[in-house]
Amino acid sequence: MGKEVNGVSRSRFEMFTNSDEAVINKKLPKELLLRIFSFLDVVTLCRCAQVSRSWNVLALDGSNWQRIDLFDFQRDIEGRVVENISKRCGGFLRKLSLRGCQGVGDSALRTFSQNCRNIELLSLNGCTKITDSTCNSLSKFCPKLKHLDLASCTSITNLSLKALSEGCPLLEQLNISWCDQVTKDGIQALVRSCPGLKGLFLKGCTQLEDEALKHIGAHCPELVTLNLQTCSQITDDGLITICRGCHRLQSLCVSGCANITDAILHALGQNCPRLRILEVARCSQLTDVGFTTLARNCHELEKMDLEECVQITDGTLIQLSIHCPRLQVLSLSHCELITDDGIRHLGSGPCAHDRLEVIELDNCPLITDASLEHLKNCHSLDRIELYDCQQITRAGIKRLRTHLPNIKVHAYFAPVTPPPSVGGSRQRFCRCCVLL
């Protein structure tokens, strides 16, 4: 083989001769053509490969296939396709997404692992045929793996996490959401050998308890993102350990973890000043006291989901309006104690004019058109949710739109109940009743 140029040996260029009829092949150096092909997507590359023999070689060269996303073709992707891609790409491939490709199984991914040993990002989200065997293959052949998405691969167990801990020490982000066979033993093995973990997505891992969180807090000082949604067994005890050990934490989701209390908000305020995203929907024990501590210490908050935090009042909104100038998205749906006064403070706070983009107020019965008046100067406001806010009127929404013409307003107005018919003794039935 001759000297390589951009990953392609010069011998491959020998098929290009001055007799090639295509003008572009005469005018452009082959190295430049290869560079142009490197910017094309999967479909376009395949089309180029059908133009001529010379373009076939260039289009299908492994250097053009460093980043592949096959989500749009998931119904057509079978194991043999992945095997063929891996053989063609070899060591060039860095990023591959097979999200939703349910036809791909362990055998194909073993071949892939053997051929693509420089892979750094791999998404197998929704590849339901995947088992622990695939993680064993990745552990043996892919030591450079940094991001791995196994969400909804429900056959994954602790054995997968132990395998990854042995062969993939550079792992930075792991998503095993809905892998509900995973327990504290798998988490312990993983975090002890992958100290650089920055993102852990454990949504729906219902067997996890506080003991698992204590291992994370003890071994993951670089952790930035943690999702524990619907991990219903966890309590304050485990989450406080996370807060004390993960001072870089920026995003935390504990929605549906009904056992947590204000102690978590105090711990976040005292230990995680960089917090930007907090999702605590359906955590009904949280109160204004906890959110006051949080707001006074976490000034970088940008997104908060407080849906069904039923004990909070306008007091929480007052603190957020004063101390959280970067707030962009706020969900207060089903927070039934919120009133127009809380929205007034929010609408006059530092986040209102330039930052606030989304506010959700579904099922807030005390909210009236006055709240919409308080929000009319929020020039960045893109969307507002008002389902089942019975004191909001069409006229109020119309007035808001005169100030914010591009805002998306999602509201529902129940049809007016028709008055009872006057006169006539004939009983009326709807068509459904007749049919039934």
Side-chain angles (χ1 to χ4, degrees):
M1 299 293 285
K3 182 179 178 181
E4 288 195 353
V5 179
N6 291 333
V8 180
S9 65
R10 289 194 182 278
S11 61
R12 297 192 191 181
F13 290 152
E14 292 174 358
M15 68 180 61
F16 295 91
T17 65
N18 292 330
S19 61
D20 195 319
E21 296 180 359
V23 175
I24 191 172
N25 291 338
K26 293 180 179 179
K27 296 292 185 181
L28 293 182
K30 307 310 171 283
E31 295 86 352
L32 184 54
L33 275 173
L34 187 66
R35 176 64 174 163
I36 292 171
F37 284 0
S38 71
F39 292 97
L40 303 181
D41 58 34
V42 172
V43 174
T44 309
L45 280 171
C46 290
R47 288 173 178 168
C48 289
Q50 300 175 56
V51 171
S52 66
R53 182 185 174 200
S54 55
W55 276 34
N56 181 276
V57 171
L58 293 180
L60 298 182
D61 189 83
S63 63
N64 293 323
W65 298 73
Q66 298 182 43
R67 297 171 295 276
I68 303 174
D69 188 343
L70 298 176
F71 176 71
D72 290 338
F73 318 101
Q74 54 184 289
R75 294 183 180 179
D76 303 317
I77 299 301
E78 298 177 351
R80 60 182 178 79
V81 176
V82 175
E83 292 177 3
N84 291 338
I85 288 175
S86 71
K87 291 172 183 176
R88 180 172 297 280
C89 298
F92 285 109
L93 191 61
R94 297 292 188 276
K95 300 178 181 179
L96 174 64
S97 175
L98 296 174
R99 183 165 59 102
C101 297
Q102 297 185 17
V104 178
D106 292 328
S107 177
L109 284 162
R110 178 174 178 81
T111 301
F112 163 82
S113 301
Q114 292 172 332
N115 288 309
C116 302
R117 303 189 181 207
N118 291 321
I119 191 73
E120 296 176 4
L121 186 153
L122 178 62
S123 176
L124 302 174
N125 189 320
C127 296
T128 52
K129 289 185 178 180
I130 298 303
T131 73
D132 293 329
S133 177
T134 285
C135 289
N136 284 327
S137 299
L138 293 172
S139 174
K140 290 179 181 178
F141 303 112
C142 302
K144 297 182 180 180
L145 192 63
K146 293 181 179 179
H147 291 205
L148 179 61
D149 188 348
L150 297 169
S152 300
C153 298
T154 53
S155 295
I156 294 299
T157 73
N158 290 336
L159 295 177
S160 285
L161 301 193
K162 291 176 180 177
L164 293 170
S165 71
E166 294 169 359
C168 303
L170 302 181
L171 205 61
E172 294 180 1
Q173 184 167 298
L174 178 66
N175 188 345
I176 52 171
S177 296
W178 309 113
C179 297
D180 55 7
Q181 297 188 61
V182 171
T183 70
K184 62 180 177 60
D185 294 332
I187 297 297
Q188 179 181 14
L190 177 76
V191 298
R192 283 187 172 179
S193 299
C194 300
L197 277 169
K198 296 179 180 179
L200 266 176
F201 299 84
L202 308 174
K203 178 180 179 180
C205 293
T206 52
Q207 293 198 57
L208 296 185
E209 302 172 330
D210 288 336
E211 196 65 30
L213 304 194
K214 291 178 180 178
H215 293 308
I216 296 172
H219 298 286
C220 298
E222 303 296 318
L223 196 66
V224 173
T225 302
L226 179 62
N227 190 319
L228 296 165
Q229 183 174 339
T230 67
C231 295
S232 55
Q233 297 191 61
I234 65 174
T235 71
D236 293 345
D237 194 26
L239 281 170
I240 289 173
T241 305
I242 293 284
C243 297
R244 291 175 177 171
C246 306
H247 299 290
R248 298 175 183 265
L249 197 65
Q250 294 182 22
S251 177
L252 175 65
C253 177
V254 287
S255 294
C257 300
N259 295 321
I260 68 173
T261 72
D262 285 341
I264 297 308
L265 302 181
H266 290 301
L268 285 169
Q270 293 166 2
N271 296 282
C272 304
R274 301 182 187 181
L275 193 68
R276 293 172 42 246
I277 300 173
L278 178 63
E279 299 178 32
V280 288
R282 304 182 302 285
C283 297
S284 58
Q285 298 188 61
L286 303 181
T287 73
D288 292 339
V289 175
F291 284 112
T292 295
T293 301
L294 181 78
R296 289 178 176 177
N297 292 279
C298 297
H299 306 303
E300 297 184 19
L301 280 165
E302 296 176 2
K303 177 182 177 181
M304 298 185 71
D305 185 353
L306 312 185
E307 182 175 347
E308 293 188 41
C309 291
V310 293
Q311 295 194 55
I312 67 171
T313 71
D314 293 338
T316 289
L317 298 194
I318 292 171
Q319 295 301 319
L320 292 177
S321 68
I322 295 171
H323 301 291
C324 300
R326 299 186 180 184
L327 200 60
Q328 297 176 18
V329 179
L330 179 62
S331 176
L332 299 167
S333 298
H334 294 272
C335 295
E336 298 185 357
L337 302 180
I338 298 296
T339 74
D340 294 334
D341 191 53
I343 302 300
R344 177 176 65 82
H345 282 88
L346 190 66
S348 61
C351 71
H353 292 85
D354 301 317
R355 296 279 184 168
L356 194 63
E357 297 177 1
V358 176
I359 184 166
E360 298 179 357
L361 298 168
D362 299 331
N363 293 94
C364 292
L366 303 181
I367 295 296
T368 73
D369 287 347
S371 284
L372 304 187
E373 291 293 318
H374 299 320
L375 295 172
K376 66 183 182 182
N377 293 319
C378 299
H379 302 299
S380 296
L381 198 61
D382 178 66
R383 176 168 59 87
I384 183 169
E385 303 282 340
L386 297 167
Y387 289 111
D388 292 315
C389 294
Q390 297 179 10
Q391 298 192 65
I392 295 292
T393 69
R394 287 186 174 89
I397 293 173
K398 185 176 181 179
R399 286 193 296 271
L400 177 65
R401 282 194 165 127
T402 62
H403 297 276
L404 303 171
N406 297 318
I407 192 171
K408 302 179 185 69
V409 180
H410 298 158
Y412 172 75
F413 295 94
V416 177
T417 303
S421 58
V422 178
S425 59
R426 180 185 172 193
Q427 188 173 5
R428 300 176 61 88
F429 295 98
C430 71
R431 183 169 178 79
C432 297
C433 296
V434 173
L435 294 173
L436 293 173

